[in-house]
């Protein structure tokens, strides 16, 4: 199913421009995961976006299924956006590759509203060890594939502080996103503090 990936890369470059860097990570027993870096100037604010390439080569399958369907099932890639030049965010590449490989390694189906935890800071000094998976379709449109393949969805990742992650486990993703909105949280700030959760 590797022929899916050129289409995915084309969709990313259409939406985000040409990548200015790429890195590849391979874990034992998994396909190679690439992470592409894109720079964007948004009204004078430099934003760097990291997108995985390789997660969508195979459909994600329910870990309880007796046999993995090689064709049917949801497909996704991950996109993280942060303000550039404020932290060593390029070191996030390995963490993103770990998350993108998790469907192959752990049989995980990554869906909007899910929490993904890497156990370590996303980059050196980051106040985040986990991310909230956002809704697709905003930054990069879904990529429709020929039947019977499911479309590839580009899922934004929203970094969470440990307190936010714990609060989200109790109250849910929607409630956390409402807190972020109510407090004007800049989710692209690589040094962002936790929002008030009382």
């Amino acid at each position: 199913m590797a022929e899916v990936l050129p289409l995915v890369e084309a969709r990313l470059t259409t939406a985000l421009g040409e990548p200015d860097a790429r890195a590849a990570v391979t874990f034992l027993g998994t396909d190679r995961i690439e992470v592409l870096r894109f720079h964007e100037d948004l009204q004078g604010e430099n934003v760097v976006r990291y997108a995985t390439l390789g997660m969508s080569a195979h459909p994600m399958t329910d870990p309880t299924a007796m046999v993995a369907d090689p064709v049917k099932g949801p497909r996704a890639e991950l996109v993280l956006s942060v303000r550039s030049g404020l932290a060593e965010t390029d070191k996030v590449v390995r963490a993103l590759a770990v998350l993108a490989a998790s469907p192959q390694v752990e049989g995980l189906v990554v869906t909007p509203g899910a929490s993904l935890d890497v156990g370590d800071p996303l980059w050196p000094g980051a106040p985040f060890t986990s991310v909230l998976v956002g809704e697709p379709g905003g930054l990069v449109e879904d990529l429709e594939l020929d039947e019977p393949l499911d479309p590839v969805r580009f899922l934004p990742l929203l970094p969470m502080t440990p307190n936010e992650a714990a609060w989200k486990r109790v109250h849910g993703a929607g409630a956390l996103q409402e807190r972020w909105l109510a407090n004007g949280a800049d989710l692209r700030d690589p040094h962002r503090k936790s929002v008030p959760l009382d």
Side-chain angles (χ1 to χ4, degrees):
M1 285 316 199
E3 65 270 15
V4 168
L5 297 183
L7 301 174
V8 171
E9 184 168 355
R11 174 56 53 92
L12 285 168
T13 55
T14 298
L16 304 176
E18 287 294 325
D20 66 352
R22 61 199 307 147
V25 182
T26 306
F27 303 103
L28 193 63
T30 67
D31 293 340
R32 185 170 83 153
I33 301 286
E34 285 191 272
V35 178
L36 311 185
R37 186 181 71 188
F38 303 86
H39 272 98
E40 191 172 343
D41 189 352
L42 296 175
Q43 289 131 13
E45 178 183 274
N46 285 318
V47 172
V48 59
R49 305 192 195 279
Y50 302 93
T52 63
L53 180 64
M55 182 177 172
S56 61
H58 304 282
M60 294 182 279
T61 53
D62 185 337
T64 61
M66 293 296 284
V67 180
D69 189 323
V71 177
K72 291 289 286 173
R75 294 172 189 261
E77 297 289 355
L78 308 174
V79 182
L80 173 72
S81 301
V82 287
R83 297 221 311 269
S84 67
L86 302 178
E88 291 181 85
T89 55
D90 281 354
K91 302 276 177 71
V92 79
V93 165
R94 185 165 178 80
L96 285 178
V98 167
L99 296 179
S102 60
Q104 285 184 66
V105 175
E106 300 169 37
L108 194 66
V109 178
V110 178
T111 56
S115 301
L116 302 175
D117 197 322
V118 294
D120 291 306
L122 294 178
W123 52 82
F128 320 105
T129 60
S130 62
V131 292
L132 175 66
V133 181
E135 293 290 336
L139 191 62
V140 185
E141 282 184 32
D142 294 351
L143 172 64
E144 298 293 335
L145 300 174
D146 292 338
E147 290 286 344
L149 304 185
D150 287 28
V152 177
R153 304 198 187 291
F154 298 88
L155 302 172
L157 300 181
L158 310 171
M160 294 188 289
T161 66
N163 284 349
E164 290 170 341
W167 196 85
K168 181 257 174 189
R169 278 195 292 276
V170 175
H171 299 279
L176 177 59
Q177 288 176 302
E178 284 172 19
R179 282 292 170 111
W180 283 340
L181 200 57
N183 288 277
D186 179 1
L187 300 179
R188 294 193 295 249
D189 180 353
H191 301 295
R192 180 180 70 78
K193 302 279 190 282
S194 183
V195 295
L197 298 168
D198 299 332

